[in-house]
């Protein structure tokens, strides 16, 4: 037999639901504890005494003291405002030492004149109320000869480091010396660089460049799918290597073996034996175009970065993929290696820079300061610092944690490449064909170059994709969109400027 459910009104059911909810949450421990007035007053009193003890008892006007009574005046936290000198009339107005009449309209005669000498307590109270310099001046004006009034409890304090005390008659005047205005750090003078050679031979954009360790030749990779080796001294073509089926985006020459490594938009990473001029190894694994590569300086490890948002670490000999560095959310545009920690640095189109732990294959630090794609990263050859380039600005960082040093602003373009030499000359090359040269330490932009495009090229083909110093650091090579390689050297006839910040005499807008 089914029991009938007792029916209740909607009002009763709602009331029961509210009661159950109230019973459930009435003992909620997450509710804030009600404020206890006594505890709060005591806490604030202790805080006031610790932090504002010397200036806690500020002078009070005579009207307020008369209303409250001199003995019972207190502040909002229960501190008694004691008169400066009990048993006497509290005087906070430090008057002059000249006679004056008792009120307005009263003639000043021998019978009506009043002259009050300021009491010490009055001068001290005024010294608390006035700004430091004004208090000292006013107290000294009204003090007897040879007297000096100090803040209570300040007799054992020494003068501030910047204070100068000057004797003027019987009174001492104290004035703070004006602080020296901050000055810009003086940059090191660098001679300007001038164009002295243009090398033609590629049939497409020259996308990458590298100089071999012996400083005899350099290698370039191009959108014409070839790798060309050039004589550094004469600029003549020595050799062309074919094998890539798309644009060559990165080349590097090993310092530990006679190998040349290249990568391209065909997803391939190749190792070339320069004794036979043939490919001897392929490194398979990237799922999209490979944008850059670098060799570890002390171990046989190759690092590549790709449009598939990863960087991969390869064992040069076994062709094995040691680690896949994942974490970027967009194409990884550049990668750099060093012997010290962190050993791998990557810059990406997701606007971040990551410092990696080579052993664990994990991110150590992620730098998010840039607001746009980071296409270039360069390590200083001597300092434990590096720089990154983005369309917003160039930033300098300090290893190992990526501490920010400074911004180098002014190169308002898409920065494709950065390089730096041991003298502290930082070069940034941009998509619009401009090249800026900076003093590394101070961030001073001492030269701007915009070389003319090769005759027969369009003005729109003015762009710098890569640049590098040779091993002697006396020549600067740039790979450009007008299918040429341009070679710069220092101007030996240039004369130094005493203070480059004050003059732009040797800043050049064109070679």
């Amino acid at each position: 037999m089914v029991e009938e459910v007792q029916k209740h009104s909607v009002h009763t059911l709602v009331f029961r639901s509210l009661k159950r909810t109230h019973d459930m949450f009435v003992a909620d421990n997450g509710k804030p504890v009600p404020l206890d007035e006594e505890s709060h007053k005591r806490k604030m009193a202790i805080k006031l005494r610790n932090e504002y003890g010397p200036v806690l008892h500020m002078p009070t006007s005579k009207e307020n003291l008369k209303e409250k009574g001199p003995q019972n005046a207190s502040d909002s936290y229960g501190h008694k405002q004691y008169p400066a000198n009990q048993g006497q009339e509290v005087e906070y107005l430090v008057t002059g030492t000249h006679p004056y009449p008792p009120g307005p309209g009263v003639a000043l005669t021998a019978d009506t004149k009043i002259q009050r000498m300021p009491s010490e307590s009055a001068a001290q109270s005024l010294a608390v109320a006035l700004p430091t310099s004004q208090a000292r001046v006013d107290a000294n004006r009204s003090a007897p000869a040879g007297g000096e009034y100090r803040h209570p409890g300040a007799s054992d304090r020494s003068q501030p480091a910047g204070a100068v005390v000057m004797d003027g008659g019987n009174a001492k005047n104290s004035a703070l010396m004006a602080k020296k205005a901050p000055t810009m750090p003086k940059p090191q003078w660098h001679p300007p660089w001038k164009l002295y050679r243009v090398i033609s031979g590629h049939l497409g954009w020259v996308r990458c460049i590298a100089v071999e360790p012996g400083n005899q030749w350099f290698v370039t990779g191009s959108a014409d799918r070839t790798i060309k080796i050039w004589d550094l001294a004469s600029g003549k073509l020595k050799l062309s290597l074919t094998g890539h089926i798309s644009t060559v985006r990165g080349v590097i020459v090993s310092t530990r073996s006679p190998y040349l490594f290249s990568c391209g938009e065909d997803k391939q990473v190749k190792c070339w034996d320069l004794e036979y001029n043939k490919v001897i190894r392929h490194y398979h694994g990237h799922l999209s175009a490979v944008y850059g590569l670098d060799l570890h300086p002390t171990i046989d490890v190759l690092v590549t970065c790709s449009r598939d948002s990863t960087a991969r670490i390869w064992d040069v000999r076994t062709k094995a993929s040691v680690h896949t560095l994942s974490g970027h959310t967009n194409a990884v545009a550049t990668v750099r290696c060093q012997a010290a920690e962190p050993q791998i640095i990557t810059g990406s189109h997701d606007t971040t820079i990551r410092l990696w732990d080579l052993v664990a294959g994990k991110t150590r630090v992620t730098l998010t300061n840039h607001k746009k794609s980071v296409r270039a990263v360069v390590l200083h050859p001597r300092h434990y610092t590096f720089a990154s380039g983005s369309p917003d600005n160039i930033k300098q960082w300090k290893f190992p944690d990526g501490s920010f040093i400074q911004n180098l602003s002014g190169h308002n373009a898409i920065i494709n490449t950065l390089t730096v030499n041991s003298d502290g000359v930082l070069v940034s090359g941009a998509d619009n064909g401009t090249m800026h040269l900076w003093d590394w330490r101070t961030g001073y932009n001492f030269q701007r170059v915009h070389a003319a495009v090769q005759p027969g090229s369009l003005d729109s083909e003015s762009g710098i994709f890569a640049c590098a110093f040779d091993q002697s650091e006396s020549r600067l090579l740039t790979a450009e969109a007008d299918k040429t390689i341009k070679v710069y050297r220092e101007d030996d006839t240039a004369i130094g400027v005493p203070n480059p910040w004050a003059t732009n005499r040797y800043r050049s807008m064109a070679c």
Side-chain angles (χ1 to χ4, degrees):
M1 184 177 178
V2 181
E3 295 182 2
E4 291 186 6
V5 179
Q6 186 179 359
K7 295 181 179 180
H8 297 283
S9 66
V10 176
H11 182 273
T12 304
L13 292 174
V14 171
F15 180 77
R16 285 184 179 179
S17 177
L18 288 172
K19 186 175 184 305
R20 290 194 193 101
T21 305
H22 177 269
D23 293 341
M24 184 183 297
F25 293 103
V26 70
D28 186 7
N29 294 324
K31 289 183 178 179
V33 179
L35 183 67
D36 181 47
E37 284 294 329
E38 186 63 30
S39 301
H40 182 65
K41 282 187 176 182
R42 187 162 298 179
K43 172 188 170 184
M44 294 305 295
I46 294 170
K47 190 172 182 179
L48 283 170
R49 190 180 302 112
N50 288 342
E51 296 187 11
Y52 306 104
V55 293
L56 183 60
H57 302 293
M58 298 298 288
T60 310
S61 64
K62 289 200 281 187
E63 290 77 4
N64 292 339
L65 281 177
K66 288 177 180 177
E67 292 175 4
K68 296 181 180 179
Q71 296 293 334
N72 299 322
S74 62
D75 60 15
S76 58
Y77 295 105
H79 295 289
K80 289 186 177 181
Q81 299 284 356
Y82 294 103
N85 197 351
Q86 295 186 10
Q88 301 176 7
E89 183 185 359
V90 179
E91 183 65 71
Y92 287 104
L93 298 175
V94 181
T95 60
T97 56
H98 298 285
Y100 59 93
V106 180
L108 179 61
T109 63
D111 298 327
T112 61
K113 70 177 182 179
I114 299 174
Q115 182 174 2
R116 294 181 182 175
M117 296 300 293
S119 63
E120 183 177 356
S121 60
Q124 290 173 350
S125 301
L126 185 64
V128 175
L130 290 175
T132 309
S133 59
Q134 186 64 32
R136 285 175 180 162
V137 171
D138 288 355
N140 289 334
R141 280 177 185 166
S142 58
E148 181 181 2
Y149 295 114
R150 291 177 176 268
H151 184 285
S155 57
D156 54 345
R157 295 180 188 172
S158 60
Q159 290 285 344
V164 177
V165 179
M166 297 173 289
D167 291 331
N170 294 327
K172 292 182 180 179
N173 296 323
S174 177
L176 290 176
M177 292 176 62
K179 287 186 178 179
K180 189 177 180 181
T183 57
M184 299 294 291
K186 185 178 179 181
Q188 177 186 349
W189 184 82
H190 303 283
W193 292 71
K194 62 180 182 180
L195 178 68
Y196 83 100
R197 177 173 291 158
V198 178
I199 302 172
S200 302
H202 277 295
L203 302 178
W205 291 353
V206 188
R207 296 304 301 251
C208 49
I209 192 165
V211 182
E212 65 100 10
N215 212 38
Q216 298 297 313
W217 48 268
F218 66 95
V219 57
T220 56
S222 168
D224 62 11
R225 301 170 295 177
T226 65
I227 298 168
K228 292 184 183 289
I229 295 176
W230 312 81
D231 184 72
L232 186 59
S234 64
K236 293 181 179 179
L237 180 65
K238 298 180 69 172
L239 182 68
S240 291
L241 301 173
T242 58
H244 282 282
I245 58 174
S246 189
T247 302
V248 182
R249 293 295 294 267
V251 289
I252 189 167
V253 186
S254 174
T255 58
R256 298 166 56 84
S257 54
Y259 295 157
L260 164 70
F261 296 87
S262 65
C263 65
E265 294 180 4
D266 52 10
K267 311 178 193 175
Q268 296 183 21
V269 181
K270 296 176 183 287
C271 174
W272 304 77
D273 188 330
L274 294 175
E275 293 179 350
Y276 299 96
N277 299 329
K278 291 182 179 179
V279 178
I280 58 171
R281 297 189 185 103
H282 287 89
Y283 302 89
H284 297 287
H286 279 297
L287 306 177
S288 190
V290 186
Y291 283 165
L293 77 172
D294 200 12
L295 285 166
H296 196 283
T298 57
I299 57 178
D300 288 328
V301 162
L302 172 70
V303 186
T304 57
C305 62
S306 168
R307 195 171 61 190
D308 61 12
S309 305
T310 66
R312 285 180 179 262
I313 303 173
W314 311 89
D315 187 317
V316 170
R317 295 179 182 176
T318 66
K319 301 181 288 185
S321 179
V322 180
H323 286 303
T324 300
L325 306 179
S326 56
H328 285 293
T329 58
N330 207 329
V332 185
T334 181
V335 63
R336 288 290 177 267
C337 292
Q338 63 176 358
E341 292 291 341
Q343 297 183 52
I344 299 175
I345 302 94
T346 57
S348 168
H349 288 286
D350 65 6
T351 74
T352 66
I353 302 163
R354 287 179 181 256
L355 314 183
W356 300 86
D357 185 333
L358 176 61
V359 177
K362 294 181 180 178
T363 303
R364 285 170 52 115
V365 181
T366 303
L367 307 175
T368 60
N369 300 47
H370 281 292
K371 300 298 181 289
K372 295 186 179 179
S373 302
V374 180
R375 299 169 188 256
V377 168
V378 66
L379 314 183
H380 195 284
R382 291 183 179 175
H383 304 163
Y384 198 38
T385 56
F386 72 103
S388 58
S390 174
D392 51 10
N393 51 36
I394 301 167
K395 296 180 185 291
Q396 287 181 344
W397 315 85
K398 186 177 181 181
F399 288 123
D401 299 321
S403 305
F404 176 75
I405 300 175
Q406 65 179 347
N407 277 327
L408 280 64
S409 301
H411 203 170
N412 301 318
I414 298 172
I415 295 173
N416 288 324
T417 178
L418 292 173
T419 188
V420 64
N421 65 12
S422 55
D423 289 335
V425 176
L426 174 67
V427 181
S428 58
D431 221 32
N432 60 358
T434 60
M435 184 171 68
H436 287 202
L437 289 86
W438 314 76
D439 178 57
W440 179 276
R441 184 177 63 87
T442 61
Y444 175 71
N445 178 208
F446 69 87
Q447 188 180 2
R448 299 178 183 179
V449 179
H450 192 173
V453 297
Q454 183 185 27
S457 300
L458 302 174
D459 287 339
S460 59
E461 289 186 313
S462 177
I464 300 174
F465 292 116
C467 61
F469 286 101
D470 71 344
Q471 303 299 334
S472 68
E473 299 181 340
S474 62
R475 284 167 286 196
L476 172 65
L477 300 93
T478 62
E480 308 209 3
D482 61 358
K483 310 182 184 72
T484 65
I485 301 108
K486 294 185 172 68
V487 188
Y488 296 82
R489 63 184 174 191
E490 291 181 341
D491 186 357
D492 298 332
T493 61
I495 301 173
V497 176
N499 186 2
W501 290 113
T503 178
N504 288 331
R505 268 201 303 156
Y506 77 112
R507 177 179 290 184
S508 172
M509 290 301 297
C511 289

